[in-house]
Amino acid sequence: MEQELRDMEQQAKDKISAAENLDQLEKIRVEFLGKKGNLTTILRKMGQLPEDERPKIGKLANEIRDGLESFLKDRQEELKEKELKEKLEKERIDVTLPGKKIEQGQKHPLNKVLDEINEIFLGMGYTIQDGPEIETDYYNFEALNIPKGHPAREMQDSFYFTDEILLRTHTSPIQARTMEKIAPKLPIRIICTGKVYRKDDDATHSPMFHQVEGLVVDEVITMGDLKGTLLNFARQMFGEKQQIRLRPSYFPFTEPSAEVDISCVICEGSGCRICKNTGWLEILGAGMVHPRVFEMSGYDPEKVTGFAFGMGVERIAMLKYGFDDMRVFFANDKRMFRQFI
Ligand code: PHE
């Protein structure tokens, strides 16, 4: 029986040494030292031995078990290390490889211009208002003295949800909305920036574009105030040398109305391709608030006066950055925008 134990020990050691991985090792452990393993099987036969031999064999069996257990443990450590090494070998990381660059973001040039416009008017004591892009026919047209069937609607064809609800065609509805809210209190001095929508699409017209609306209402507001305000704006935006020019125009919600030009930012007035040799560039529409609009919004046109203006933000950004195609703003080509960091 002693021989049997020793043979088993040798056999176990051989197998343990030959084990290639931790799974195999575990199987070997069960085979030899498990509850139903070889060692137990041998010891079951102890009863057949003469009684005086049993302690000796028992002691030997214990020694063999302890020996095998520590032998197993050593092999286990070895195999663990080997497996880890192999894994690391496979997943080797080259720390000298260049890392992934996180690109720095930047503001869209239109938002930069919008911020700048806001700053200029905030500096003149204006507050910023907001209004819905989905607008009712009433605020987009009626309240601005553009009743149904009025020819001015032709120029502002839009996207309708129903007969009464549409995407606003300009930011002017904010004039009526603001006056309704504040009337009959004075003064009003607000601007509103936002998206507007029209059924136009070419190099200088986009179906969606941005406007800045301005409205000032008080007891005695004159066209001189309008002109001074816009001149101040033009100079802060495009430089101290700027001049502006008001040309008579027509809007149903202002009377008198004007188209406002700034001196050409490219040729400074001497005439070039951009200003079509006129020396002037049109940037906005403006005028004195129409008495009908005051009436509809809750003000007495005998007691208050005011001016309003509306300008295209893309147009200003195009002039500022020298773009000749409005569509670059919405193509989202990062190479284009990277120039403005
Ligand atoms: N809303 C007009 C447009 O989009 C511009 C404008 C605003 C004109 C305010 C006069 C006063 O064409």
Side-chain angles (χ1 to χ4, degrees):
M1 195 150 172
E2 190 180 332
Q3 194 52 45
E4 212 177 333
L5 282 170
R6 297 238 181 257
D7 287 350
M8 186 225 53
E9 181 184 24
Q10 194 50 51
Q11 212 187 342
K13 280 189 170 165
D14 290 348
K15 278 204 172 176
I16 291 168
S17 303
E20 274 169 11
N21 56 47
L22 292 169
D23 277 354
Q24 279 181 19
L25 201 62
E26 175 60 12
K27 276 187 197 132
I28 297 166
R29 189 189 67 76
V30 174
E31 182 186 340
F32 288 93
L33 301 177
K35 260 191 205 153
K36 291 177 191 160
N38 297 356
L39 182 64
T40 322
T41 314
I42 296 171
L43 291 180
R44 282 230 176 87
K45 294 188 281 187
M46 280 256 269
Q48 300 164 7
L49 289 177
E51 221 163 299
D52 56 342
E53 272 188 41
R54 287 182 202 167
K56 203 179 115 203
I57 294 296
K59 198 170 160 237
L60 179 65
N62 279 336
E63 278 166 16
I64 287 176
R65 171 184 280 121
D66 291 349
L68 282 181
E69 268 172 2
S70 80
F71 194 68
L72 249 163
K73 218 172 165 205
D74 289 350
R75 183 70 187 142
Q76 199 178 20
E77 292 301 319
E78 260 173 51
L79 285 176
K80 252 192 203 161
E81 212 159 289
K82 192 177 136 222
E83 281 184 12
L84 184 68
K85 242 193 206 154
E86 278 170 5
K87 212 167 152 196
L88 285 177
E89 201 76 23
K90 252 192 264 160
E91 294 174 7
R92 171 164 279 173
I93 296 165
D94 182 353
V95 291
T96 65
L97 274 175
K100 266 192 205 151
K101 250 201 191 150
I102 298 175
E103 270 186 74
Q104 201 188 347
Q106 77 195 74
K107 272 211 170 123
H108 191 285
L110 277 179
N111 283 329
K112 279 182 131 183
V113 170
L114 276 170
D115 285 351
E116 226 174 298
I117 295 172
N118 280 339
E119 278 304 313
I120 293 172
F121 283 101
L122 283 171
M124 288 193 258
Y126 285 62
T127 53
I128 294 171
Q129 285 287 321
D130 207 2
E133 283 173 36
I134 297 172
E135 191 48 286
T136 59
D137 182 273
Y138 177 76
Y139 286 113
N140 198 79
F141 295 123
E142 300 269 343
L144 295 168
N145 200 26
I146 316 175
K148 290 208 165 64
H150 193 291
R153 288 195 180 210
E154 288 276 302
M155 281 163 23
Q156 299 198 1
D157 193 9
S158 179
F159 302 90
Y160 282 82
F161 296 95
T162 69
D163 282 353
E164 294 300 321
I165 296 175
L166 66 151
L167 289 176
R168 69 179 175 195
T169 59
H170 49 179
T171 41
S172 296
I174 207 69
Q175 291 183 34
R177 285 181 173 275
T178 306
M179 283 193 273
E180 259 186 16
K181 239 190 315 187
I182 298 184
K185 278 185 277 172
L186 292 171
I188 292 176
R189 210 181 292 122
I190 58 111
I191 57 163
C192 165
T193 63
K195 293 185 171 70
V196 300
Y197 303 83
R198 286 188 202 175
K199 231 181 119 196
D200 296 323
D201 201 3
D202 61 40
T204 53
H205 295 90
S206 154
M208 184 281 296
F209 60 104
H210 296 75
Q211 282 191 336
V212 176
E213 191 81 11
L215 173 70
V216 173
V217 180
D218 209 341
E219 268 165 12
V220 194
I221 296 293
T222 69
M223 208 138 180
D225 295 319
L226 170 64
K227 196 170 176 189
T229 302
L230 295 176
L231 181 62
N232 186 359
F233 165 76
R235 290 190 169 165
Q236 288 196 54
M237 194 73 194
F238 293 106
E240 274 308 305
K241 280 199 251 156
Q242 272 301 319
Q243 296 295 333
I244 63 165
R245 174 175 85 165
L246 271 63
R247 282 178 292 112
S249 184
Y250 170 77
F251 297 103
F253 40 97
T254 47
E255 180 60 35
S257 303
E259 304 274 0
V260 181
D261 302 337
I262 56 169
S263 43
C264 179
V265 294
I266 311 292
C267 63
E268 293 180 358
S270 57
C272 69
R273 190 177 59 89
I274 300 294
C275 61
K276 298 193 184 95
N277 274 321
T278 62
W280 296 99
L281 297 164
E282 186 194 320
I283 61 160
L284 58 90
M288 303 307 290
V289 179
H290 196 289
R292 285 277 301 129
V293 175
F294 273 138
E295 270 167 16
M296 284 187 277
S297 314
Y299 280 102
D300 180 351
E302 297 296 324
K303 292 197 178 124
V304 301
T305 48
F307 66 72
F309 58 84
M311 61 182 132
V313 182
E314 279 77 0
R315 179 103 176 107
I316 290 177
M318 282 165 85
L319 294 174
K320 217 170 154 70
Y321 296 122
F323 290 175
D324 55 6
D325 192 326
M326 189 186 278
R327 290 169 291 204
V328 298
F329 289 124
F330 310 117
N332 285 333
D333 184 340
K334 279 193 281 181
R335 288 169 304 174
M336 201 71 203
F337 298 153
R338 219 170 274 146
Q339 300 171 47
F340 306 106
I341 289 183

